Structure formats: structure tokens, C-alpha cells
Amino acid sequence: MPGESIPLRKTPHSRPSSTLRPEEFDADDAESRTFSSPVLVSAASSRQPSRNPSPFASPPGQPRALQEPASPDASDLEFDDWDEPDAAMPSDLRPELDREDGRANAPLLGHKADEGTERPQLSRRSTHTLHERDPETQAKFETRRKYTYAGIFLALSLVSFTVQTETAVYIQHELKWEKPYCMLYMTHGSWVLLWPVQLLLLRLQNWSTPWPTFWRRHVQLLRQTSLMVQHQTLHPSVRQSQHSPVPYMVKMTAFVTCALTVAGGSWYLAVNLTTASDLTAIYNCSAFFAYAFSVPLLHEKLRLPKVLAVAIAIVGVFIVAYGGPSPAKHGNKSGGGAGGEKAPPSHEAQNRALGNTIIGIGSVLYGFYEVLYKKLACPPEGCSPGRGMVFANTFGSMIGLFTVLVLWIPLPFLHYTGWEEFGLPRGQQASMMAISVLANATFSGSFLILISLTSPVLSSVAALLTIFIVAIVDQLLPPPLNHPLTSATIVGGLLIIGAFILLSWATYKEMDEDRRKKLEESDSDVDD
């Protein structure tokens, strides 16, 4: 298979090779001209020595005219940018379009051109490398690009979480379908759709690429990103690349999924034991615990703006939870919802102290889960946003697959013990449940991408915005779903918004500074 071309220098006493292009060879001035012509060599032959004599060697008795360059080391292959269309890649994965525009036939080694020889044009990759030499400009560009992607998925997560909250509360309060673990199983199991939907969207974007090539590149990208995640480096060594990352990803999927299931299940255990206000206030303290776990596990520095932003956000949540005559609606990140005018009154809470203890543990575990996912299942800093988004959805789909294959086991036990009789929703329950489950899958995929691109702390505080958004939606809904805004909801919502803006600014500045320092300390460019 044709691969990267090697420039060869013609000497005065050598005969023209059959691979030379006729228009570049002139017999009359062959003695006085020196030129270079590309000879195509396969990727395999350029890396492995052959027992046969080199086809470039001169015949016996004649001076050697062609020289083979040293074979490149496998560790020089940079695969952290294969998700970008203009990135260089091995010849067996390079699309045909790249061969037609001349890039595939560009010499690997430079040479001095004569005065009459046309100067070769710089490729987009070379231009990109030149731009990266300015650390401050490159840091601002990369940080801005990452925040642009994060902003898109933030908006998508807020909309989908609002839909999930409204439908979940309606299912539980109006339609009276209360199957906590079954709902948890269905919502987490729906995450398995994230990767197929993503694959379909990627395929539509690259429809002209043949399917075998598209699939090979996609699998290679996932494998290489898994190696980055496992070894927490953008450039795994040859020894590290020889081992499959599948065992590591299976273990991490099981570990993260179990932490997520326990954290999400605690919400369902406490929903009937405590009040909706306590549930909302304590559950959303997970933003504080996400910051607390980020310091030792992610080596995040304690910064006053971030601490202040998290504290303001939690104060806003408490004002919304306890300031109005009825508890505000709030959704669980693992499905389900609570609050609203038809929520059980506070005096009907069966065991408020026990419920608050359970939801408190769940709040801690949910903050731990977010940090755990960032540490064990996200590519290291410097990875391209596109690659991070693709891998985040793939890992979310792995969580869904583990849920479907393993976490059905408690369902028969709960059914036969009478704790929760198994039953599928029917009629309007089924239609509303389908909307709620799909909305949760959309929110979860966007939330995983948001954590991968930014940080668990910023993502947790961003999720608190849904409390105020749900309250606004309740104001706009027609009766009997209409619920007027209260002054406490407005004040608390404004505090949450202010905290999110402050935290976003602090995180943006921190990411910009860290990237600039890394670019200044490193002489080599990181292609992302």
C-alpha cells in the first residue's frame, strides 16, 4: 500500500530509476543538475528490515546512487490528533482525498532547492505547528475552543435535565408509577444508546468515506484514547501500546458504575423518608464534595474564587428549598424527581433523620463519582476536545451496557421480598417514561462530556441551574401544572447563576494559565 514518500538524490553517474517521473528527468543536463523525486514505499517496508536486497541499491560496480533513510521509530507516531481532518496519519489510514491533493506524496526529508525550483508549500499541519510556538496565543485559542464545546453541551444538558425532571415528577405524582429501582435501572440502562447514536452522527459527517476505512479509524481512535486514559499521557510508549486497554476499561467501568448506582440509589431510598426540601438541599451539596475530592484526587488547588462560588451556590439552593410555601421541584441525575405542590407535606415524612442521613451519604458519593470519572475515565489535559467528546459518550455507553447486563440481578430479589414489585409502565405511563428516560440519557451524555472538558466542580454547579430553570418552566406551564414563582426562588436562583458565572471565570483563567505554562515548559508541540 503506498505510504509516505522518500526523497532520493540523483548523482551524476546514476541511471534514472524507473520510479522517477519522466518530466523531471533531463538527460542533457543530468550531469549538472541535482533534483529530488519521490519514491513510494509502504508503511510496513519503511519500518521492518527486509532480507531481500534493497531495490534502491546500486548494481555491482557502480556507485551507490540511492540511499535508504533510517526507519522511523514507532514511538514517533502521534495519534492524539487523528480525530481532526487535517491531521497526519499513517498511510493505511489516510483517506484517498489526501493522496489526491499532494500531501501524501510530500517528501519526508527536506532538501535544498535550486533557484529555479519551486519552493514547496507549507502544509496546514506545519502552519498549525508554527502557530503553537506562541504559548499565550495558543493557550487562549485552545481554552476558548474547549469552552465553546462545553457551552454547547451545557445548554443541551440543562434543557434535557429540565424535561427529565418535569416528566419524572409527573409520572410519580400524577400517574402514580413509583418503582424506584426499576426507574434507576431503565435510566442508567438507556445510556447504552449513547455510542450508537454518536456513531451514526459521525458516519453522517463522513458519509463519503468508505465504511471499512471509517470503522478502522474509529476503532483505532478509541483504542488509542483508552491507552491515554489508562496511562494518563498523550503519548504512550511502544511498550504501553503493545498491551490492550480493554481489561483496564472493563474494570474502570464496573468500578465507576457501582459508585454511580449507589449514589443514585440513595436518592430513591431517601425520597419517601424525608421531605422534598431536605432532599433538594442535601442532595445538591454534592457540588461541595466534588470540590473536596478534587483537591486530593485531581491535585486541584484551593482557590478563593472557587470556594466562594461553591458556597454561594449552596446558599442559593437552601434558599430555594426552604424559602417557599411548597418545596421546589428538583430532579435526580439518575432519573426521578421530587417536590412541587403535590409533594407529600413535611409532617408525613416517615423517618426524616434517617432519610437525611441516607441522602447525605448519597451526596458525598455522587461528588466522589464525578471526581472518580474525571480521574479514571477521562483523557489527560492536552487532548483534543473532539477526541474527549467521542470517548466520553463511548464510556457512558459502557456504563449503560454494564447496567443492562449486571444490575438486573436485584430486580427479582426486590420483587420476591415485596420491597418493590416489578412492573413495566403502561399506556400514558410508558409514553411519559420513554420521554423521561431519553431525556436522562441525553443529559447524562452531555454531563459526562462537560466533566471531561472542564471539571467536576464546574459541572456540578452548572447542574444546580436546573432548579431555577424548572421553576421558570413551572411558571409558564398551563394549569394544573402551573406553579408561580416565589421571591425565595428568584433570590436563590440569582445566587446560583452568580456563583456559576464566578466559577466559570475562575476555571477559565486557571485552564488558560495551566496550558500556557505547559506550552512554555515543553519544547515539543502537543497536537490536539
Side-chain angles (χ1 to χ4, degrees), residues 413-431:
F413 175 78
L414 295 174
H415 178 76
Y416 286 112
T417 56
W419 290 355
E420 180 183 321
E421 294 185 1
F422 179 77
L424 295 176
R426 298 180 180 181
Q428 189 179 6
Q429 294 176 347
S431 60

Side-chain angles (χ1 to χ4, degrees), residues 163-234:
V163 174
Q164 179 248 307
T165 300
E166 294 287 355
T167 53
V169 172
Y170 183 77
I171 291 171
Q172 293 175 351
H173 293 173
E174 299 289 341
L175 303 180
K176 304 300 181 181
W177 192 82
E178 298 181 359
K179 307 286 184 183
Y181 187 81
C182 187
M183 181 177 287
L184 177 68
Y185 177 77
M186 294 174 67
T187 51
H188 286 182
S190 66
W191 296 13
V192 74
L193 300 175
L194 294 174
W195 178 75
V197 172
Q198 171 186 260
L199 187 66
L200 176 61
L201 295 177
L202 292 175
R203 180 56 180 163
L204 293 176
Q205 293 177 356
N206 300 272
W207 188 256
S208 59
T209 305
W211 170 256
T213 303
F214 170 79
W215 176 253
R216 184 168 62 249
R217 293 182 63 188
H218 183 71
V219 173
Q220 187 74 355
L221 182 143
L222 294 179
R223 184 183 187 277
Q224 292 163 350
T225 311
S226 300
L227 290 172
M228 293 182 186
V229 173
Q230 179 180 0
H231 302 289
Q232 285 300 300
T233 176
L234 292 176

Side-chain angles (χ1 to χ4, degrees), residues 18-74:
S18 59
T19 57
L20 299 179
R21 290 181 292 183
E23 62 270 17
E24 293 185 357
F25 179 74
D26 188 355
D28 295 336
D29 58 350
E31 297 293 330
S32 60
R33 290 180 56 192
T34 301
F35 61 92
S36 174
S37 61
V39 176
L40 302 181
V41 183
S42 65
S45 62
S46 65
R47 288 166 172 79
Q48 299 179 359
S50 175
R51 297 181 181 179
N52 299 327
S54 171
F56 309 125
S58 301
Q62 295 185 12
R64 185 174 182 178
L66 305 176
Q67 297 181 353
E68 290 189 58
S71 60
D73 185 64

Side-chain angles (χ1 to χ4, degrees), residues 115-135:
E115 295 181 359
T117 305
E118 183 180 357
R119 179 177 297 178
Q121 297 180 354
L122 289 177
S123 64
R124 293 177 61 187
R125 178 182 176 90
S126 302
T127 308
H128 178 66
T129 303
L130 291 176
H131 287 316
E132 285 186 340
R133 294 180 181 177
D134 184 2

Side-chain angles (χ1 to χ4, degrees), residues 409-485:
I409 298 176
L411 289 173
F413 175 78
L414 295 174
H415 178 76
Y416 286 112
T417 56
W419 290 355
E420 180 183 321
E421 294 185 1
F422 179 77
L424 295 176
R426 298 180 180 181
Q428 189 179 6
Q429 294 176 347
S431 60
M432 296 301 296
M433 189 65 187
I435 297 175
S436 181
V437 166
L438 292 178
N440 181 264
T442 305
F443 161 75
S444 301
S446 304
F447 193 70
L448 292 177
I449 292 176
L450 193 61
I451 295 177
S452 179
L453 295 179
T454 57
S455 68
V457 183
L458 181 62
S459 304
S460 296
V461 174
L464 300 182
L465 295 172
T466 57
I467 299 177
F468 188 49
I469 296 176
V470 169
I472 296 176
V473 172
D474 285 341
Q475 172 72 31
L476 301 177
L477 289 175
L481 301 177
N482 179 273
H483 183 67
L485 279 172

Side-chain angles (χ1 to χ4, degrees), residues 351-521:
N351 196 331
R352 191 169 181 175
L354 178 61
N356 289 346
T357 301
I358 293 176
I359 195 59
I361 296 175
S363 178
V364 175
L365 290 178
Y366 212 98
F368 178 68
Y369 149 73
E370 293 171 344
V371 176
L372 199 65
Y373 163 72
K374 179 68 174 180
K375 181 176 180 62
L376 301 179
C378 289
E381 291 296 327
C383 180
S384 66
R387 179 185 291 268
M389 291 187 295
V390 171
F391 191 77
N393 275 328
T394 304
F395 188 79
S397 194
M398 293 170 62
I399 293 177
L401 183 62
F402 183 87
T403 301
V404 171
L405 297 179
V406 178
L407 296 183
W408 62 268
I409 298 176
L411 289 173
F413 175 78
L414 295 174
H415 178 76
Y416 286 112
T417 56
W419 290 355
E420 180 183 321
E421 294 185 1
F422 179 77
L424 295 176
R426 298 180 180 181
Q428 189 179 6
Q429 294 176 347
S431 60
M432 296 301 296
M433 189 65 187
I435 297 175
S436 181
V437 166
L438 292 178
N440 181 264
T442 305
F443 161 75
S444 301
S446 304
F447 193 70
L448 292 177
I449 292 176
L450 193 61
I451 295 177
S452 179
L453 295 179
T454 57
S455 68
V457 183
L458 181 62
S459 304
S460 296
V461 174
L464 300 182
L465 295 172
T466 57
I467 299 177
F468 188 49
I469 296 176
V470 169
I472 296 176
V473 172
D474 285 341
Q475 172 72 31
L476 301 177
L477 289 175
L481 301 177
N482 179 273
H483 183 67
L485 279 172
T486 62
S487 58
T489 302
I490 296 175
V491 173
L494 292 177
L495 286 176
I496 295 174
I497 293 174
F500 174 73
I501 294 175
L502 176 61
L503 185 61
S504 299
W505 175 81
T507 305
Y508 182 89
K509 298 296 291 184
E510 184 177 357
M511 291 173 59
D512 191 46
E513 293 175 1
D514 291 344
R515 184 178 289 273
R516 183 166 59 250
K517 289 180 181 179
K518 290 180 181 179
L519 288 173
E520 291 175 349
E521 294 173 357

Side-chain angles (χ1 to χ4, degrees), residues 5-7 36 38 102-111 120:
S5 58
I6 302 177
S36 174
R103 289 172 55 202
N105 296 326
L108 287 178
L109 304 177
H111 59 84

